[in-house]
Amino acid sequence: MRSWVVIGLWILLSSCDTEKAPLDEETYVTLLTESMLIQAAYNAEYDTLITLNLYHDVLKHYDVTHEDFLESHRIYQLDIQEQERRLRRVMDALTKESSRLMAK
Protein backbone atom coordinates (compact mmCIF):
# COMPACT_ATOMS: atom_id res chain seq x y z
CA MET A 1 0.00 0.00 0.00
CA ARG A 2 2.78 2.42 0.94
CA SER A 3 4.51 1.81 -2.38
CA TRP A 4 1.32 2.84 -4.22
CA VAL A 5 1.24 6.10 -2.30
CA VAL A 6 4.88 6.76 -3.20
CA ILE A 7 4.24 5.91 -6.87
CA GLY A 8 1.12 8.09 -6.92
CA LEU A 9 2.99 10.99 -5.34
CA TRP A 10 5.87 10.58 -7.80
CA ILE A 11 3.44 10.60 -10.76
CA LEU A 12 1.68 13.66 -9.41
CA LEU A 13 4.91 15.57 -8.87
CA SER A 14 6.45 14.56 -12.18
CA SER A 15 3.36 15.63 -14.09
CA CYS A 16 3.45 19.16 -12.67
CA ASP A 17 4.76 21.73 -15.11
CA THR A 18 7.79 23.65 -13.99
CA GLU A 19 7.31 27.36 -13.60
CA LYS A 20 8.02 29.44 -16.67
CA ALA A 21 9.84 32.69 -16.12
CA PRO A 22 8.16 35.78 -17.58
CA LEU A 23 11.44 36.76 -19.28
CA ASP A 24 13.41 34.63 -21.70
CA GLU A 25 16.92 33.76 -20.52
CA GLU A 26 18.72 36.17 -22.87
CA THR A 27 16.67 39.15 -21.71
CA TYR A 28 17.10 38.10 -18.09
CA VAL A 29 20.90 37.82 -18.43
CA THR A 30 21.07 41.17 -20.22
CA LEU A 31 19.02 42.85 -17.49
CA LEU A 32 21.10 41.19 -14.79
CA THR A 33 24.24 42.54 -16.47
CA GLU A 34 22.71 46.02 -16.72
CA SER A 35 21.69 45.81 -13.05
CA MET A 36 25.28 45.01 -12.07
CA LEU A 37 26.51 48.04 -14.03
CA ILE A 38 23.93 50.22 -12.29
CA GLN A 39 25.01 48.84 -8.92
CA ALA A 40 28.61 49.73 -9.77
CA ALA A 41 27.52 53.27 -10.65
CA TYR A 42 25.71 53.51 -7.32
CA ASN A 43 28.78 52.26 -5.47
CA ALA A 44 30.84 54.97 -7.15
CA GLU A 45 28.38 57.84 -6.65
CA TYR A 46 26.04 56.75 -3.81
CA ASP A 47 23.21 58.60 -5.52
CA THR A 48 20.00 56.65 -5.03
CA LEU A 49 17.91 58.85 -7.32
CA ILE A 50 20.30 58.46 -10.27
CA THR A 51 20.53 54.71 -9.63
CA LEU A 52 16.75 54.27 -9.56
CA ASN A 53 16.34 56.37 -12.70
CA LEU A 54 18.95 54.28 -14.52
CA TYR A 55 17.25 51.06 -13.40
CA HIS A 56 13.82 52.24 -14.55
CA ASP A 57 15.27 53.46 -17.86
CA VAL A 58 16.81 50.03 -18.49
CA LEU A 59 13.54 48.24 -17.69
CA LYS A 60 11.66 50.65 -19.96
CA HIS A 61 14.20 50.15 -22.76
CA TYR A 62 13.63 46.38 -22.66
CA ASP A 63 9.86 46.82 -22.09
CA VAL A 64 10.03 44.81 -18.85
CA THR A 65 8.36 45.42 -15.51
CA HIS A 66 10.21 45.30 -12.23
CA GLU A 67 7.86 42.51 -11.13
CA ASP A 68 8.61 40.40 -14.22
CA PHE A 69 12.34 40.79 -13.63
CA LEU A 70 12.01 39.79 -9.97
CA GLU A 71 9.78 36.82 -10.79
CA SER A 72 12.19 35.68 -13.50
CA HIS A 73 15.09 36.04 -11.06
CA ARG A 74 13.22 33.94 -8.48
CA ILE A 75 12.48 31.20 -11.00
CA TYR A 76 15.89 31.17 -12.70
CA GLN A 77 17.76 30.92 -9.42
CA LEU A 78 15.85 27.76 -8.47
CA ASP A 79 18.29 25.83 -10.65
CA ILE A 80 21.58 26.68 -8.96
CA GLN A 81 23.88 25.19 -11.59
CA GLU A 82 22.14 27.00 -14.43
CA GLN A 83 22.11 30.23 -12.43
CA GLU A 84 25.84 29.92 -11.87
CA ARG A 85 26.25 29.51 -15.63
CA ARG A 86 24.16 32.64 -16.19
CA LEU A 87 26.21 34.57 -13.64
CA ARG A 88 29.41 33.53 -15.42
CA ARG A 89 27.91 34.98 -18.60
CA VAL A 90 27.16 38.21 -16.73
CA MET A 91 30.70 38.36 -15.38
CA ASP A 92 32.12 37.72 -18.87
CA ALA A 93 30.01 40.56 -20.28
CA LEU A 94 31.10 42.89 -17.47
CA THR A 95 34.76 41.98 -18.03
CA LYS A 96 34.44 42.67 -21.77
CA GLU A 97 32.77 46.01 -21.08
CA SER A 98 35.45 46.93 -18.57
CA SER A 99 38.21 46.04 -21.04
CA ARG A 100 36.49 48.06 -23.76
CA LEU A 101 36.26 51.10 -21.51
CA MET A 102 39.85 50.77 -20.31
CA ALA A 103 41.09 50.68 -23.91
CA LYS A 104 39.66 54.14 -24.58
Side-chain angles (χ1 to χ4, degrees):
M1 174 66 174
R2 199 165 106 189
S3 63
W4 286 108
V5 172
V6 172
I7 292 171
L9 185 58
W10 179 79
I11 291 171
L12 178 65
L13 291 175
S14 65
S15 67
C16 293
D17 288 335
T18 58
E19 291 183 271
K20 180 163 176 17
L23 304 178
D24 64 87
E25 185 174 323
E26 286 304 311
T27 302
Y28 170 73
V29 168
T30 300
L31 287 171
L32 195 55
T33 303
E34 297 275 2
S35 296
M36 297 285 186
L37 288 169
I38 292 168
Q39 183 62 43
Y42 173 77
N43 291 343
E45 297 295 324
Y46 296 106
D47 190 326
T48 304
L49 185 58
I50 290 173
T51 304
L52 288 174
N53 285 336
L54 284 171
Y55 182 70
H56 289 291
D57 287 348
V58 166
L59 292 177
K60 186 176 179 180
H61 175 78
Y62 290 98
D63 195 27
V64 171
T65 66
H66 176 69
E67 292 76 19
D68 282 349
F69 176 73
L70 291 179
E71 179 65 7
S72 295
H73 185 64
R74 183 188 71 76
I75 292 170
Y76 281 128
Q77 69 182 2
L78 291 174
D79 184 340
I80 294 170
Q81 289 179 333
E82 283 297 305
Q83 187 66 355
E84 286 176 347
R85 182 186 57 77
R86 288 182 203 96
L87 289 172
R88 281 191 298 276
R89 289 178 55 201
V90 168
M91 295 307 295
D92 289 346
L94 292 172
T95 300
K96 285 179 187 174
E97 181 64 12
S98 176
S99 296
R100 185 185 71 78
L101 291 172
M102 297 296 264
K104 287 186 173 187

